[in-house]
Amino acid sequence: MSAVHFSTEEFNTAIANGPAIVDFWATWCGPCKMLGPVIDQIAEELEGKITVGKLDVDQSRETAMEYGVMSIPTVIYFKNGVEVKRFVGVQTRDKLLEAAKELE
């Protein structure tokens, strides 16, 4: 199972209900394409524990602005609607998984 591609409405629902990891990305972003498979791996590993998804900043500009996403990729960790951690730029799978432990 790969990461869910959220609409703005799905994003709002996902982050409100328990732990979630969201990759803010765009189709034209080279580093985002590098991080994409890593996010999909994490989604598989955390399935049933943490919601893992992607939000296209071109399709959800207002949401990206609301969360102050200035550079992509940006990965934000949420717990019950509250941001608890953020990474900007390409990160390793291990670093992202280690940070996910704080959500469990």
Side-chain angles (χ1 to χ4, degrees), residues 24-29 31-32 57-58 69-74 88-90:
F24 289 77
W25 72 292
T27 56
W28 48 264
C29 167
C32 299
V57 297
D58 288 334
V69 175
M70 305 298 266
S71 300
I72 53 175
T74 292
V88 178
V90 177

Side-chain angles (χ1 to χ4, degrees), residues 71-84:
S71 300
I72 53 175
T74 292
V75 179
I76 302 179
Y77 292 65
F78 294 94
K79 195 167 196 174
N80 300 318
V82 178
E83 179 180 333
V84 295

Side-chain angles (χ1 to χ4, degrees), residues 24-65:
F24 289 77
W25 72 292
T27 56
W28 48 264
C29 167
C32 299
K33 291 177 184 176
M34 291 170 51
L35 186 62
V38 174
I39 297 295
D40 288 338
Q41 286 177 355
I42 290 170
E44 280 185 28
E45 291 184 46
L46 299 177
E47 188 175 357
K49 297 179 194 165
I50 298 173
T51 301
V52 179
K54 300 177 183 187
L55 187 74
D56 186 326
V57 297
D58 288 334
Q59 295 177 3
S60 300
R61 287 182 199 274
E62 288 181 14
T63 304
M65 287 173 39

